[in-house]
């Protein structure tokens, strides 16, 4: 299998394979980043920096930000200050001295005016790319989906004016018209989209009669659907995120059209040492199917390609049509 080429590109960055270590504790230090590279990862996304961390570090007047006092008190009591912006910028600078793979910073804000300022900090520290971790859940019954879309557009426009780093946006699943949003973000200068961000989810304790949060559960097939529906139909790279349990899921996402696959939970469960196995199984599958590069089969089973090749057979409709009668009659 010496002629198998696993290299790919992602938002203008050349990668040796499609495996990216997603934003997590695995990527918050220079030492952790180096372990990811040594294990075979092609790039890493830094653990996300939140607006509250920038504020708690003392660089932003509180009246400039739209934050909860409880969050600031928690941070200042030591909750997250070991991962303050100043520290992570130093980690980026340190990692760049030895790392040969791209470092993609990740930031999350609530206050629109602060995104460019924080982007500038990580860019100056030497990050190779930036992932905007935008969380804008529509809950106001008086605010339309179009208004929420405008928030995304403004953030990307403001950040791209401030920095020259390639930019990606990690989206939430709850978006009224993902194809429209994705296409417009590409026009605004975004280079890639990540499907999707799996935040904390609410639950209810019926014994104590109170609400609480639990870790969000990734939905691999929801991501697969949207990768397949949009690959080749929007002028932007797509990274799949969530629910990867092995090489099979990596292969499926690339067949659907993903440029890269971001993985986190699997590495917590089995360790970074599983990366060579993922790559070996991917290469073996490619060899078995006579593919020599990822481009040979990327998007082969996307909605666009299937619609063009099998318009009368209906395979393409599997991405968007739930065939209830067929399923339940069986």
């Amino acid at each position: 299998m010496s002629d198998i080429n696993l290299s790919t590109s992602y938002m203008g960055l050349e990668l040796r394979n499609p495996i990216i270590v997603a934003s997590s504790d695995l990527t918050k230090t220079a030492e952790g980043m180096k372990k990811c590279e040594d294990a075979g990862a092609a790039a890493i996304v830094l653990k996300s920096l939140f607006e509250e961390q920038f504020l708690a570090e003392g660089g932003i007047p509180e009246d400039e930000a739209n934050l909860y006092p409880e969050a600031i008190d928690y941070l200042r009591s030591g909750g997250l200050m070991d991962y303050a912006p100043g520290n992570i910028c130093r980690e980026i600078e340190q990692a760049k001295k030895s790392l040969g793979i791209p470092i993609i910073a990740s930031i999350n804000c609530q206050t629109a005016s602060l995104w460019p300022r924080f982007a500038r900090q990580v860019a100056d520290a030497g990050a190779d790319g930036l992932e905007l971790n935008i969380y804008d859940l529509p809950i106001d019954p008086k605010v339309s989906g179009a208004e929420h879309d405008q928030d995304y557009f403004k953030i990307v426009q403001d950040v791209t004016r401030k920095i020259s780093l390639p930019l990606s946006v990690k989206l939430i699943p709850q978006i009224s018209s993902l194809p429209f949003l994705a296409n417009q973000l590409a026009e605004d200068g975004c280079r890639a989209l990540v499907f999707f961000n799996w935040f904390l989810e609410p639950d209810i304790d019926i014994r104590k009669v109170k609400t609480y949060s639990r870790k969000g559960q990734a939905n691999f097939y929801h991501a697969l659907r949207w990768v397949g529906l949009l690959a080749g139909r929007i002028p932007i790279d797509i990274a799949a995120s969530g629910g990867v349990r092995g090489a099979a899921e990596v292969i499926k996402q690339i067949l659907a059209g993903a440029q890269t696959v971001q993985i986190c939970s699997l590495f917590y469960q089995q360790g970074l040492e599983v990366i060579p196995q993922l790559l070996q199984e991917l290469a073996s599958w490619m060899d078995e199917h006579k593919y020599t590069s990822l481009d040979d089969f990327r998007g082969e089973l996307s909605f666009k390609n299937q619609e063009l090749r099998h318009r009368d057979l209906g395979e393409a409709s599997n991405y968007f049509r739930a065939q209830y009668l067929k399923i339940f009659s069986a």
Side-chain angles (χ1 to χ4, degrees):
M1 294 188 294
S2 59
D3 58 342
I4 298 294
N5 179 9
L6 298 181
S7 66
T8 188
S9 63
Y10 177 61
M11 60 178 184
L13 302 171
E14 297 302 318
L15 308 183
R16 61 191 185 188
N17 65 63
I19 304 300
I20 297 177
V21 181
S23 176
S24 63
D25 281 347
L26 297 169
T27 61
K28 73 177 185 178
T29 66
E31 180 183 6
M33 297 178 223
K34 184 60 178 172
K35 288 180 179 178
C36 293
E37 179 182 43
D38 291 344
I44 60 99
V45 181
L46 293 176
K47 184 176 181 180
S48 289
L49 282 166
F50 289 82
E51 178 172 324
E52 291 84 349
Q53 291 164 285
F54 286 91
L55 178 62
E57 196 171 54
I60 308 294
E62 291 187 26
D63 59 2
E64 284 191 36
N66 179 27
L67 303 171
Y68 293 103
E70 293 86 352
I72 302 304
D73 291 342
Y74 170 68
L75 289 167
R76 286 180 175 156
S77 69
L80 282 173
M81 288 314 294
D82 61 328
Y83 194 69
N87 289 343
I88 192 55
C89 286
R90 286 188 287 274
E91 294 291 345
I92 294 173
E93 293 169 354
Q94 181 63 31
K96 290 297 293 181
K97 296 177 182 178
S98 60
L99 237 62
I101 61 174
I103 298 173
I104 302 170
S106 173
I107 60 175
N108 180 298
C109 291
Q110 288 292 311
T111 307
S113 63
L114 296 181
W115 286 92
R117 189 183 309 192
F118 302 157
R120 179 76 271 161
Q121 287 190 31
V122 295
D124 289 344
D128 299 291
L130 177 61
E131 182 177 282
L132 302 183
N133 196 335
I134 301 177
Y135 181 58
D136 185 25
L137 186 65
I139 60 173
D140 189 336
K142 296 182 179 180
V143 177
S144 69
E147 291 177 80
H148 280 280
D149 287 351
Q150 289 301 320
D151 292 338
Y152 281 90
F153 304 151
K154 186 177 188 310
I155 290 168
V156 169
Q157 291 164 6
D158 289 348
V159 172
T160 53
R161 279 196 292 265
K162 190 73 173 180
I163 64 170
S164 59
L165 291 181
L167 188 71
S168 66
V169 174
K170 194 170 189 178
L171 296 170
I172 62 173
Q174 299 86 1
I175 291 175
S176 58
S177 178
L178 185 54
F180 173 81
L181 180 73
N183 193 65
Q184 186 60 51
L185 288 174
E187 290 186 9
D188 289 335
C190 183
R191 301 287 297 275
L193 296 175
V194 184
F195 298 161
F196 289 100
N197 212 334
W198 312 102
F199 287 101
L200 293 176
E201 296 176 341
D203 205 342
I204 293 178
D205 185 328
I206 61 173
R207 185 174 61 86
K208 297 180 179 179
V209 191
K210 63 185 294 186
T211 59
Y212 67 97
S213 295
R214 66 186 183 92
K215 185 178 180 181
Q217 299 299 307
N219 186 329
F220 171 81
Y221 296 102
H222 188 67
L224 183 69
R225 167 181 288 170
W226 283 106
V227 171
L229 279 173
L230 295 185
R233 300 176 61 230
I234 55 173
I236 197 169
D237 290 341
I238 301 175
S241 175
V244 172
R245 294 172 295 178
E249 285 75 27
V250 174
I251 294 167
K252 289 177 183 180
Q253 292 290 11
I254 298 173
L255 278 167
Q259 289 291 126
T260 58
V261 180
Q262 293 191 10
I263 304 174
C264 177
S265 295
L266 179 66
F267 298 151
Y268 276 113
Q269 295 162 2
Q270 299 187 28
L272 292 166
E273 297 76 17
V274 75
I275 295 178
Q277 178 184 339
L278 292 176
L279 297 174
Q280 177 61 39
E281 290 181 18
L282 170 59
S284 295
W285 178 88
M286 290 172 61
D287 186 54
E288 178 185 351
H289 289 80
K290 311 303 181 185
Y291 298 125
T292 59
S293 74
L294 299 185
D295 285 336
D296 288 345
F297 69 96
R298 179 182 285 113
E300 176 73 12
L301 297 183
S302 67
F303 170 72
K304 178 181 179 180
N305 275 356
Q306 289 194 102
E307 186 183 42
L308 290 173
R309 292 185 293 109
H310 305 297
R311 184 175 296 276
D312 297 327
L313 299 182
E315 283 93 338
S317 68
N318 289 323
Y319 278 116
F320 67 88
R321 180 173 174 80
Q323 300 181 50
Y324 297 108
L325 291 177
K326 181 178 179 180
I327 292 172
F328 288 117
S329 64

